[in-house]
Amino acid sequence: MGRAAFQESCMSASPTTPPALPDIPTEPTVLLNELRGIDWLQLLETWGLKLLAAAVIFLVGMWLAKRLSAGLERVLGRTHADATLGGFLRRASYAAMMVLVIITALTSLGVNPTSMLAVLGAAGLAVGLALKDSLSNIASGVMLIVLRPFRDGDFVQAGGLEGIVEEVRIFQTRMRTLDNRLIVLPNSLITTAPIINFTAKPHRRIDIPVGVGYDDDLKQAKQILLKIAQDHPLVLQDPAPSVIVSKLSESSVDLILLAWAKTKDFGETKSDLTEAVRTEIIGNGLNIPYPQRDLHVYHHNSDGTPLTDIITKGVADDGDVAKPAV
């Protein structure tokens, strides 16, 4: 085959050149003519009705989701379910119903639900890997709702912080301190640390430590403490109050007054008993010792002679101290 024939065969085998893209009009008049050529009525009939239907589905679905989730919370309240559980299920059910409403609205626009669910699944996996800490908060929130270590209104210590529980949400728990400060704790920090619920039980024990002197009458001190607890109107008589000797300290004999009260009266009762213990112990002639230390300082000369003897001898040699008569 000759060279010319070979070139001719290569040129005939080369792919055809793709067609050029249509020119986009840049002149205003041409653009207006193109817009006039669009059948706006047909476009409105095709997409306007779909958009209107999608908007109606979304608005009606959102209204129904709010009503149904609120109704679920009311039903749980009538069955005397925990308020924390009711609020959590209300928010969770509302979020689930809104997902269904959005999928239904997009389907009415012609979006394929199968493809949309596949995209949402892939996006959910990526978001889950990126927000694993947030997902752990959701799991911890579910555990708090199911296990219920505390309820709304309980005074607890969680995550090293103390406060009154106001609300358990999906991601976080809100607490209020006694001085009215707001604490927002991620749920994962609560479930991974010890939880102390101070108001879970109807009764609490009050411990009042007090020290008396070693020279004081121990039986009298115990009788005084018992009388203080027995005379207080908020102290429960069953279990009966008691006094124990806890420790022999360096400067005192330590006693502890044990008294029981209702949980709601704990703070007031403890304050009253503490004040009464101090007043009655001192009023009955007993002592409440405080740590003290006596320090004795001795000065000596290099030969061991006390410094006080050297000063006294020096003053006597000067004639300032009268010498005894012979």
Side-chain angles (χ1 to χ4, degrees):
M1 181 182 293
R3 183 176 181 181
F6 178 75
Q7 291 180 350
E8 184 179 357
S9 62
C10 291
M11 293 177 62
S12 62
S14 61
T16 59
T17 304
L21 295 174
D23 295 333
I24 299 176
T26 57
E27 297 293 335
T29 56
V30 178
L31 181 61
L32 290 176
N33 292 331
E34 293 289 340
L35 292 177
R36 290 193 186 98
I38 299 175
D39 189 354
W40 293 102
L41 182 60
Q42 183 181 1
L43 184 64
L44 182 61
E45 291 177 355
T46 303
W47 291 102
L49 294 178
K50 290 184 178 181
L51 290 174
L52 180 61
V56 171
I57 291 174
F58 180 78
L59 294 176
V60 174
M62 183 172 62
W63 179 78
L64 286 175
K66 289 182 178 179
R67 295 295 298 271
L68 292 176
S69 59
L72 176 63
E73 186 178 17
R74 287 195 298 269
V75 170
L76 292 175
R78 292 174 182 174
T79 58
H80 304 287
D82 187 12
T84 304
L85 177 62
F88 184 85
L89 291 180
R90 175 180 59 82
R91 289 185 291 270
S93 61
Y94 177 76
M97 286 185 285
M98 285 303 301
V99 171
L100 294 177
V101 168
I102 293 174
I103 293 176
T104 305
L106 292 177
T107 304
S108 67
L109 290 176
V111 180
N112 188 359
T114 304
S115 302
M116 183 171 53
L117 291 176
V119 172
L120 290 177
L125 178 60
V127 172
L129 294 176
L131 301 177
K132 59 181 180 179
D133 293 336
S134 298
L135 294 179
S136 66
N137 288 329
I138 296 177
S140 299
V142 174
M143 290 176 59
L144 292 176
I145 294 300
V146 175
L147 300 179
R148 291 192 296 178
F150 51 76
R151 302 182 179 184
D152 291 352
D154 286 352
F155 182 71
V156 301
Q157 181 182 13
L161 300 173
E162 294 183 359
I164 301 173
V165 178
E166 289 190 341
E167 187 179 12
V168 178
R169 297 185 175 181
I170 297 178
F171 293 97
Q172 59 195 13
T173 298
R174 300 166 66 91
M175 298 193 305
R176 175 174 50 85
T177 61
L178 295 179
D179 55 354
N180 205 30
R181 290 181 295 170
L182 178 64
I183 300 176
V184 180
L185 272 176
N187 290 331
S188 59
L189 294 182
I190 298 177
T191 55
T192 55
I195 300 174
I196 301 176
N197 193 333
F198 298 100
T199 54
K201 301 297 182 179
H203 301 151
R204 285 187 63 186
R205 194 184 72 184
I206 303 173
D207 298 355
I208 307 293
V210 58
V212 296
Y214 276 94
D215 296 333
D216 293 333
D217 188 349
L218 197 58
K219 291 184 178 180
Q220 180 186 4
K222 295 176 68 174
Q223 292 175 356
I224 293 173
L225 295 178
L226 282 177
K227 188 175 186 305
I228 292 173
Q230 293 170 354
D231 293 345
H232 197 284
L234 298 180
V235 173
L236 301 177
Q237 301 304 318
D238 186 20
S242 61
V243 179
I244 63 173
V245 179
S246 63
K247 185 180 179 182
L248 299 177
S249 301
E250 295 182 359
S251 58
S252 64
V253 179
D254 295 340
L255 307 177
I256 299 180
L257 171 61
L258 308 177
W260 289 82
K262 294 182 179 180
T263 301
K264 63 178 182 178
D265 301 328
F266 178 83
E268 178 184 357
T269 308
K270 184 175 182 179
S271 177
D272 293 344
L273 291 178
T274 303
E275 180 180 355
V277 165
R278 190 265 179 192
T279 303
E280 294 297 326
I281 288 293
I282 297 179
N284 284 272
L286 303 180
N287 297 315
I288 302 180
Y290 51 87
Q292 59 182 355
R293 188 179 300 275
D294 295 334
L295 183 61
H296 302 274
V297 180
Y298 297 93
H299 295 276
H300 295 274
N301 197 10
S302 59
D303 59 354
T305 305
L307 185 59
T308 53
D309 295 346
I310 297 175
I311 295 175
T312 304
K313 183 177 183 301
V315 174
D317 291 342
D318 292 338
D320 295 336
V321 179
K323 297 180 179 180
V326 181

